[in-house]
Amino acid sequence: MPCTVTSLPADKPKIVAYAAMMAIQNFGFFVAYFQIYPSIPKLNWGADEPDDCDDLRFWVGFFALDCFIESFCCIWMAMGGYTDDKCMFTFGWILHLVVALPYCISTVGIPVAMYSEQGEMCREAMGTTGYPLVAAYWTHCGLFMVYVWMMLSITYFSFLKPSFRMEKASAAVQD
């Protein structure tokens, strides 16, 4: 099967739209979590033991930074499909996947830290800022599969559809 990245002209607006939605979603979560991060208190000042909020602080900060980086990676992937550049699409797709793995891990790590005994103490110590953390997480969790759908759609319109179309066209020529 030939591997092509030659999207149809009719599919190019779809690729751009999916890339824009992915970038907006990632950047939005970066801003949301980045604004919550400074509100996570340090509960054990001066103690030699780890702080009770360290896990929650780590996962919120880690996810914020990952979302910032991911907002660029999804555009690089889509740019390769839009411009029919096989190297750019392959690089962007792999890079996006590598940066998306911590996104997936954080989607599990945040609630584990947030709903642990220490996490609940931290959210209580955060006061009213603890509520936006819960809302931001469940919004992020709810949109997770939407994001996966958009990534697969860019893959379909940029790579899978052109590859199978070329195979179908070459089979018709051989008959």
Side-chain angles (χ1 to χ4, degrees):
M1 173 171 71
C3 293
T4 65
V5 178
T6 310
S7 57
L8 295 172
D11 291 337
K12 290 184 185 290
K14 297 172 194 167
I15 293 169
V16 170
Y18 282 123
M21 289 186 293
M22 290 171 74
I24 290 167
Q25 180 175 327
N26 276 302
F27 195 78
F29 286 132
F30 158 70
V31 170
Y33 281 97
F34 190 74
Q35 288 178 342
I36 292 168
Y37 181 82
S39 300
I40 301 173
K42 182 151 179 72
L43 297 179
N44 298 341
W45 286 99
D48 291 337
E49 61 201 46
D51 183 54
D52 287 337
C53 295
D54 280 349
D55 284 346
L56 185 60
R57 190 178 304 104
F58 169 78
W59 285 111
V60 168
F62 181 72
F63 188 69
L65 294 174
D66 188 63
C67 284
F68 180 75
I69 296 166
E70 189 76 346
S71 62
F72 297 98
C73 294
C74 58
I75 294 174
W76 287 332
M77 173 183 64
M79 186 173 65
Y82 182 85
T83 61
D84 301 330
D85 186 333
K86 183 178 179 180
C87 291
M88 175 60 80
F89 178 76
T90 304
F91 168 76
W93 196 91
I94 292 169
L95 180 64
H96 178 269
L97 180 65
V98 168
V99 177
L101 290 174
Y103 188 104
C104 298
I105 294 167
S106 294
T107 302
V108 174
I110 291 172
V112 167
M114 188 169 62
Y115 291 114
S116 69
E117 189 177 321
Q118 293 87 3
E120 288 185 13
M121 285 189 320
C122 290
R123 284 190 294 125
E124 191 175 308
M126 290 169 69
T128 57
T129 312
Y131 298 117
L133 173 60
V134 173
Y137 172 74
W138 285 108
T139 303
H140 136 215
C141 186
L143 290 174
F144 181 80
M145 292 310 292
V146 174
Y147 188 84
V148 170
W149 172 259
M150 290 186 281
M151 188 264 189
L152 294 175
S153 295
I154 288 175
T155 304
Y156 173 74
F157 289 122
S158 300
F159 171 68
L160 295 174
K161 187 176 179 181
S163 293
F164 289 119
R165 184 187 56 186
M166 294 302 288
E167 181 179 277
K168 188 176 180 181
S170 64
V173 169
Q174 290 175 357
D175 291 337

